[in-house]
């Protein structure tokens, strides 16, 4: 079921970790094959689930540093996609290169890492790191509003992909608590057509 390409120095540990976590999440019963590969360009872990949901390509950095947290994070993405209640649809992903796409990735990552941390499992990033990252995604909001929004996001219960997608375009559109926070601060979200506009905001 699990295949790994040549050239990994830590192949045994990586395969075992992926096998253990996939079994724990129950996705090994849904997938026919998991292929582990080297990231082609940048040292970033990525997951690519086939359109028929039967095979998975995992690009894993050949390092033991936070291996469990990294593997759990990637496989949680896959577990969400395979969960019918999550309502994952490719068509709901914002266009790449837009501010909404950057925010979509952030919101889903927060949803995953918060669940891992709350369950006592290693995560890709800490709560503190994710809270710091929100400034990159919402630089137009005040520090006080960002902090309160993050506290809400980190503490949320179950989400589905439709909600994540909607919040990618408008953080304050889905939950009354977030909408009330924005109103109480008298602030609005800015739409950024490109990631460059988002990165350069206020500069």
């Amino acid at each position: 079921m699990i295949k790994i390409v040549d050239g990994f120095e830590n192949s045994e540990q990586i395969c075992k970790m992926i096998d253990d976590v996939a079994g724990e999440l129950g996705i090994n019963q849904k997938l026919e094959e998991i292929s582990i590969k080297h990231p082609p360009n940048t040292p970033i872990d990525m997951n690519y689930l086939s359109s028929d949901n039967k095979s998975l390509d995992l690009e894993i950095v050949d390092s033991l540093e936070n291996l469990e947290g990294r593997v759990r994070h990637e496989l949680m993405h896959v577990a969400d996609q395979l969960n019918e209640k999550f309502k994952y649809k490719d068509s709901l992903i914002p266009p790449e290169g837009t501010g909404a796409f950057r925010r979509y990735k952030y919101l889903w990552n927060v949803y995953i890492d918060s669940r891992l941390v709350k369950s006592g499992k290693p995560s890709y990033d800490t709560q503190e790191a994710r809270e710091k990252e929100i400034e990159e995604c919402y630089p137009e909001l005040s520090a006080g509003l960002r902090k309160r929004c993050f506290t809400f996001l980190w503490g949320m219960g179950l989400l589905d992909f439709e909600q994540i997608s909607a919040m990618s375009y408008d953080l304050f559109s889905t939950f009354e608590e977030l909408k009330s926070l924005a109103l109480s601060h008298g602030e609005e979200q800015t739409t950024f057509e490109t990631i460059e506009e988002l990165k350069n905001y206020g500069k």
Side-chain angles (χ1 to χ4, degrees):
M1 177 187 173
I2 294 180
K3 300 191 304 182
I4 187 167
V5 300
D6 294 335
F8 275 90
E9 293 183 3
N10 302 291
S11 59
E12 184 176 340
Q13 297 97 319
I14 290 172
C15 285
K16 185 179 187 309
M17 183 63 68
I18 290 171
D19 190 38
D20 289 348
V21 175
E24 181 183 321
L25 294 174
I27 62 177
N28 59 346
Q29 300 173 1
K30 300 177 181 179
L31 296 173
E32 295 178 359
E33 183 176 279
I34 298 176
S35 298
I36 307 167
K37 303 177 180 180
H38 298 280
N41 300 313
T42 55
I44 299 175
D45 304 312
M46 295 292 290
N47 64 86
Y48 300 96
L49 185 64
S50 64
S51 57
D52 61 5
N53 290 348
K54 291 183 178 180
S55 62
L56 172 68
D57 283 352
L58 270 182
E59 294 177 357
I60 298 293
V61 176
D62 190 8
S63 168
L64 297 181
E65 183 177 356
N66 193 28
L67 177 62
E68 183 176 353
R70 293 189 290 116
V71 167
R72 285 189 179 279
H73 183 93
E74 293 307 315
L75 292 185
M76 282 282 281
H77 275 290
V78 179
D80 280 346
Q81 292 177 72
L82 293 173
N83 181 358
E84 290 184 1
K85 294 181 180 179
F86 187 64
K87 304 176 185 176
Y88 177 84
K89 294 179 183 176
D90 284 338
S91 60
L92 293 178
I93 300 175
E96 286 196 43
T98 63
F101 183 76
R102 172 68 177 93
R103 289 165 169 173
Y104 141 76
K105 293 181 70 175
Y106 173 72
L107 291 168
W108 196 359
N109 285 338
V110 166
Y111 181 49
I112 287 174
D113 281 344
S114 64
R115 284 179 288 165
L116 288 172
V117 169
K118 284 182 280 191
S119 65
K121 306 292 186 182
S123 60
Y124 186 92
D125 258 334
T126 63
Q127 180 175 350
E128 292 75 19
R130 290 299 185 195
E131 182 173 0
K132 185 176 180 181
E133 187 184 356
I134 196 173
E135 183 177 358
E136 298 176 18
C137 299
Y138 299 94
E140 75 277 22
L141 302 181
S142 65
L145 179 54
R146 284 197 302 264
K147 184 174 182 62
R148 295 185 69 181
C149 287
F150 177 80
T151 299
F152 178 83
L153 292 171
W154 191 265
M156 279 190 303
L158 294 178
L159 277 178
D160 63 40
F161 198 69
E162 292 176 353
Q163 292 170 319
I164 290 174
S165 176
M167 287 194 294
S168 302
Y169 292 100
D170 183 355
L171 182 62
F172 308 117
S173 65
T174 306
F175 293 96
E176 285 298 324
E177 293 91 336
L178 289 174
K179 187 182 297 184
S180 296
L181 283 175
L183 289 172
S184 68
H185 282 72
E187 298 182 40
E188 294 182 351
Q189 177 183 310
T190 300
T191 297
F192 297 98
E193 297 299 329
T194 67
I195 291 180
E196 286 70 27
E197 289 179 13
L198 175 62
K199 288 180 178 178
N200 294 324
Y201 179 83
K203 296 181 180 178

